[in-house]
């Protein structure tokens, strides 16, 4: 019993170590973070201006509602991008820095190693997403009199569990294919978002894409967040969005971990756990 | 760490039996084929012993180190570290082993202190433990205190290698795998690293497997010296016995007599094959 408690303690310290390392790295690369944030704000503005553009060219829409809908889509896209980037690059970054062998020969379980990356990604992603939302909303002077931000935040955090599970699946790609893995991770992220109704209702998609939308956690996250911010829906009415997110999360995390572990065995068998350059 | 992986008093530090590793090479002319990197290697290391393995580039030294540190899975044979199997009991082995390789391998933008702090967490060390131990260990390896906060990329190779030694020492490994730890260092840094290895053995009861290119280093640090050639362990005995067996005056002559090659000649083909397989 004591050994189990000691082992668990070591694992949690290791998880905190991954978070700590990413804090150090973020501090060291802070100017890059500022640059990426400015780029994301600019990119979000170009998307959100589409609503005003439609009205200016004669379209009949509720500009404020369309602006908010696009803003939510852009913020969730940016948030998801951060989660996927951190998880997919957990291996790629270590390979590039040359620390991969030291990390994989440390007595830390893969669940805690990836968990540390996931925890940091969620915290960092939330800060970036909230800041992005505030800056762009202020730019357009959007009013959110009825918005339920607490409910929106809860939906985003619950959705993060599923995003984390899927991120673990994509994290295996750079492990088994040092040269092409990271690129494939970006492709997976793009495919997930295109079917999830980021800037449009899922109903406009072809039928086969709508089917894929039902298994994408981003679909439910976007629905829930939009209902909370646009309609002011309370958390108690979000169950239709929350239960699929919990189910996808419960399935994707063990599946993601199992896939990563298989990938690690493959990498050890074929000598892929090696630094680049 | 040792509480979770207790070291049996009578267990050998390392026991490898017919250890084999092959890599797949894809070739347009000959198609896919398996290239042996390590061929049926058997060896033992007693607890507290220092054994040096000599071999050219591509002879299989790094493959042996990577198998013992659980970074590779063998294709045949077995290996144990203090009685724990490197495949079945990987986590127990990882708690007992650390490594210093030819490349210092750190996050380049992070400082020595930051790199050591996070690395120690992977071995279950808390912030209060590392805050106390890291400055002490860096001082012991002769790392200047005023440079602990500088990014690693600003440090010389010798300085980086000292931080690598500090990282290994921080986790108190009972088996230390040294893979060409002094290659590329200037003579002074090389001597400092070698002195530190002696100190670690004396004070920490560590068992050391030293893979090196440096014949003098092998002779001065190790009780036994092995010759690895094209993945085969041709000899493993005290340096004096090795020289006597091949009627050689120096280890270099003994190496030549055992392998038929000069020590500085690289095994280009195998090295290239391994690089290709690992790409």
């Amino acid at each position: 019993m004591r050994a189990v408690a000691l082992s668990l303690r070591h694992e949690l310290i290791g998880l905190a170590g991954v978070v700590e390392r990413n804090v150090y790295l973020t501090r060291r690369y802070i100017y890059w973070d500022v640059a990426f944030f400015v780029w994301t704000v600019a990119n979000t503005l170009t998307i959100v201006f589409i609503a005003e553009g439609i009205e200016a060219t004669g379209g009949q829409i509720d500009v404020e509602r369309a602006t908010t809908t696009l803003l939510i889509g852009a913020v969730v896209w940016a948030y998801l991008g951060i989660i996927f980037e951190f998880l997919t690059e957990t291996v790629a970054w270590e390979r590039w820095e040359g620390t991969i062998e030291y990390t994989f020969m440390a007595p830390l379980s893969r669940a805690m190693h990836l968990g540390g990356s996931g925890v940091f990604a969620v915290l960092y992603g939330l800060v970036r997403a909230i800041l992005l939302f505030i800056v762009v909303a202020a730019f357009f002077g959007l009013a959110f009199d009825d918005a339920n931000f607490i409910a929106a935040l809860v939906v985003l955090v619950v959705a993060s569990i599923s995003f984390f599970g899927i991120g673990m699946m994509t994290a295996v790609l750079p492990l088994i294919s040092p040269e092409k893995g990271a690129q494939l991770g970006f492709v997976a992220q793009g495919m997930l978002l295109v079917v999830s109704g980021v800037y449009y209702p899922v109903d406009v998609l072809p039928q086969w894409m709508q089917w894929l939308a039902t298994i994408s956690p981003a679909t439910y996250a976007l629905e829930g967040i939009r209902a909370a911010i646009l309609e002011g829906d309370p958390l108690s009415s979000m169950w239709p969005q929350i239960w699929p997110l919990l189910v996808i999360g419960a399935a994707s995390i063990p599946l993601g971990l199992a896939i990563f572990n298989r990938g690690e065995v493959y990498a050890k068998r074929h000598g892929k756990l090696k630094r680049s350059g | 760490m040792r509480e979770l992986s207790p070291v049996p008093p009578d267990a050998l530090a390392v026991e490898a039996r017919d250890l084999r590793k092959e890599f797949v090479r894809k070739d347009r002319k000959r198609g896919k084929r398996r290239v042996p990197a390590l061929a049926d290697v058997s060896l033992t290391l007693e607890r507290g012993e220092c054994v040096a393995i000599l071999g050219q580039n591509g002879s299989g030294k790094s493959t042996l180190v990577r198998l013992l540190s659980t970074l590779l899975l063998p294709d045949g044979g077995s290996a144990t570290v203090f009685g724990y199997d490197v495949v079945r009991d990987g986590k127990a082995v990882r708690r007992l082993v650390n490594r210093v390789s030819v490349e210092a391998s750190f996050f380049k933008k992070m400082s020595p202190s930051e790199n050591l702090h996070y690395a120690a967490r992977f071995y279950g060390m808390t912030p209060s433990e590392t805050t106390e131990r890291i400055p002490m260990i860096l001082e012991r390896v002769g790392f200047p205190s005023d440079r602990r906060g500088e990014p690693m990329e600003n440090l010389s190779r010798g300085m980086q290698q000292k931080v690598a030694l500090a990282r290994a020492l921080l986790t108190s490994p009972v088996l230390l795998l040294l893979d060409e730890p002094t290659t590329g260092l200037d003579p002074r840094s090389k001597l400092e690293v070698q002195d530190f290895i002696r100190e670690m053995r004396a004070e920490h009861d560590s068992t050391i497997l030293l893979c090196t290119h440096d014949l003098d280093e092998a002779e001065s640090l190790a009780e036994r010296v092995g010759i690895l050639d094209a993945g085969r362990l041709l000899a493993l005995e005290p340096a004096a016995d090795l020289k006597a067996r091949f009627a050689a005056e120096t280890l270099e002559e003994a190496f030549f007599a055992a392998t038929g090659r000069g020590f500085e000649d690289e095994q280009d083909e195998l090295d290239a094959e391994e690089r290709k397989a690992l790409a």
Side-chain angles (χ1 to χ4, degrees):
Chain A
M1 196 64 193
R2 190 175 173 274
V4 174
L6 191 61
S7 180
L8 181 64
R9 181 172 179 267
H10 280 187
E11 291 285 343
L12 291 172
I13 293 171
L15 182 146
V18 182
V19 177
E20 182 181 357
R21 182 193 67 194
N22 288 341
V23 170
Y24 291 143
L25 286 169
T26 304
R27 225 167 44 195
R28 295 278 178 181
Y29 286 96
I30 193 70
Y31 291 112
W32 276 110
D33 276 291
V34 172
F36 283 134
F37 182 71
V38 171
W39 184 87
T40 311
V41 168
N43 189 44
T44 305
L45 287 174
T46 62
I47 292 161
V48 177
F49 264 121
I50 290 171
E52 299 207 0
I54 290 172
E55 190 190 38
T57 52
Q60 297 292 311
I61 57 164
D62 177 344
V63 174
E64 178 136 346
R65 190 178 173 84
T67 301
T68 309
T69 302
L70 290 172
L71 173 58
I72 292 167
V75 168
V76 171
W77 175 288
Y79 176 73
L80 267 175
I82 288 168
I83 305 255
F84 271 71
E85 188 184 312
F86 267 97
L87 283 164
T88 305
E89 296 198 355
T90 295
V91 171
W93 203 352
E94 294 229 27
R95 199 187 285 286
W96 178 65
E97 291 275 9
T99 54
I100 186 167
E101 296 191 359
Y102 288 88
T103 299
F104 278 79
M105 64 176 277
L108 180 67
S109 72
R110 217 45 65 209
M112 293 296 148
H113 175 204
L114 294 171
S117 284
V119 167
F120 180 81
V122 168
L123 296 174
Y124 175 84
L126 281 176
V127 170
R128 285 268 302 257
I130 290 168
L131 277 176
L132 178 64
F133 189 89
I134 291 170
V135 169
V136 179
F139 183 92
F140 285 96
L142 298 173
F144 299 104
D145 299 333
D146 301 323
N148 186 342
F149 287 112
I150 300 292
L153 196 62
V154 170
V155 171
L156 192 61
V157 170
V158 173
S160 302
I161 302 168
S162 315
F163 298 155
F164 173 47
I166 296 169
M168 278 202 285
M169 295 178 207
T170 57
V172 78
L173 297 170
L175 189 67
I176 57 177
S177 176
E179 289 176 7
K180 304 178 197 79
Q183 293 92 317
L184 288 170
F186 282 115
V187 172
Q189 178 192 341
M191 296 307 290
L192 183 71
L193 288 167
V194 79
V195 300
S196 304
V198 185
Y199 302 119
Y200 37 79
V202 170
D203 314 351
V204 303
L205 295 170
Q207 194 56 47
W208 66 272
M209 286 176 110
Q210 287 188 42
W211 183 83
L212 287 174
T214 61
I215 55 168
S216 164
T219 306
Y220 304 100
L222 284 158
E223 271 179 22
I225 292 167
R226 283 188 174 129
I229 292 177
L230 289 168
E231 319 298 344
D233 284 2
L235 195 58
S236 55
S237 69
M238 301 273 174
W239 187 240
Q241 283 80 39
I242 287 179
W243 77 257
L245 287 173
L246 291 173
V247 170
I248 296 169
S252 64
I253 287 190
L255 185 63
L257 201 55
I259 289 172
F260 195 93
N261 284 336
R262 287 291 295 271
E264 187 173 340
V265 169
Y266 173 87
K268 286 182 174 180
R269 181 80 57 206
H270 293 87
K272 304 271 187 188
L273 278 184
K274 215 169 165 10
R275 60 184 290 144
S276 295
Chain B
M1 276 288 123
R2 289 187 208 183
E3 281 179 74
L4 291 169
S5 296
V7 176
D10 53 344
L12 286 164
V14 174
E15 184 173 19
R17 285 176 189 272
D18 303 321
L19 199 57
R20 186 163 49 83
K21 185 69 200 169
E22 296 170 345
F23 293 108
V24 174
R25 182 185 174 179
K26 287 176 197 165
D27 192 303
R28 273 189 193 168
K29 285 181 190 164
R30 290 184 279 182
K32 256 188 186 180
R33 65 195 175 96
R34 298 183 75 83
V35 179
L38 215 56
D40 302 323
V41 167
S42 296
L43 61 87
T44 58
L45 267 76
E46 298 286 340
R47 184 175 181 159
E49 192 182 19
C50 178
V51 166
I53 302 288
L54 295 174
Q56 299 155 321
N57 285 341
S59 60
K61 301 190 301 292
S62 295
T63 301
L64 176 63
V65 165
R66 294 171 75 218
L67 280 164
L68 293 177
S69 53
T70 75
L71 290 168
L72 282 176
L73 291 172
D75 293 318
S78 66
T80 58
V81 171
F82 290 100
Y84 295 105
D85 188 275
V86 294
V87 178
R88 283 195 313 273
D89 314 313
K91 196 165 181 182
V93 171
R94 288 192 281 274
R95 289 189 185 112
L96 300 174
V97 173
N98 213 323
R99 170 184 177 197
V100 178
S101 57
V102 64
E103 300 285 351
S105 306
F106 289 103
F107 279 89
K108 299 168 195 74
K109 291 277 179 204
M110 279 164 51
S111 69
S113 190
E114 288 170 342
N115 269 292
L116 295 183
H117 270 97
Y118 102 79
R121 301 280 177 270
F122 289 5
Y123 290 79
M125 294 175 75
T126 60
S128 60
E129 287 174 290
T130 48
T131 304
E132 194 183 323
R133 283 191 71 182
I134 287 170
M136 218 163 65
I137 286 171
L138 282 173
E139 196 180 326
R140 271 192 58 197
V141 297
F143 189 88
S145 59
D146 58 339
R147 304 196 68 183
R148 284 176 201 159
E150 275 187 43
M152 292 296 296
E153 64 189 0
N154 292 358
L155 304 176
S156 66
R157 271 265 298 127
M159 290 273 190
Q160 290 188 18
Q161 207 61 340
K162 283 179 180 176
V163 183
L165 284 167
R167 175 173 56 191
L169 182 60
L170 192 58
T171 65
S172 307
V174 276
L175 174 64
L176 187 57
L177 305 167
L178 302 174
D179 190 4
E180 300 184 28
T182 58
T183 300
L185 296 187
D186 61 75
R188 188 179 156 191
S189 299
K190 190 181 267 193
L191 287 175
E192 283 175 352
V193 168
Q194 288 169 355
D195 283 345
F196 188 70
I197 293 168
R198 285 190 192 92
E199 198 182 318
M200 277 187 82
R201 280 195 70 198
E203 292 183 13
H204 290 271
D205 187 28
S206 295
T207 305
I208 295 177
L209 179 67
L210 168 69
C211 293
T212 183
H213 267 135
D214 190 321
L215 299 155
D216 294 336
E217 182 172 275
E219 198 162 1
S220 72
L221 290 174
E223 277 102 33
R224 287 188 296 155
V225 176
I227 294 176
L228 194 62
D229 184 61
R232 295 189 182 279
L233 188 64
L234 303 179
L236 178 59
E237 51 206 82
D241 294 0
L242 203 58
K243 285 187 272 189
R245 171 141 70 113
F246 293 103
E249 285 189 14
T250 63
L251 262 188
E252 189 168 6
E253 284 175 18
F255 185 90
F256 181 75
T259 64
R261 275 192 276 265
F263 190 68
E264 296 304 325
D265 302 338
E266 292 196 357
Q267 286 175 252
D268 281 335
E269 196 196 341
L270 191 58
D271 194 33
E273 300 215 14
E274 190 172 347
R275 274 203 304 274
K276 247 187 167 169
L278 296 177

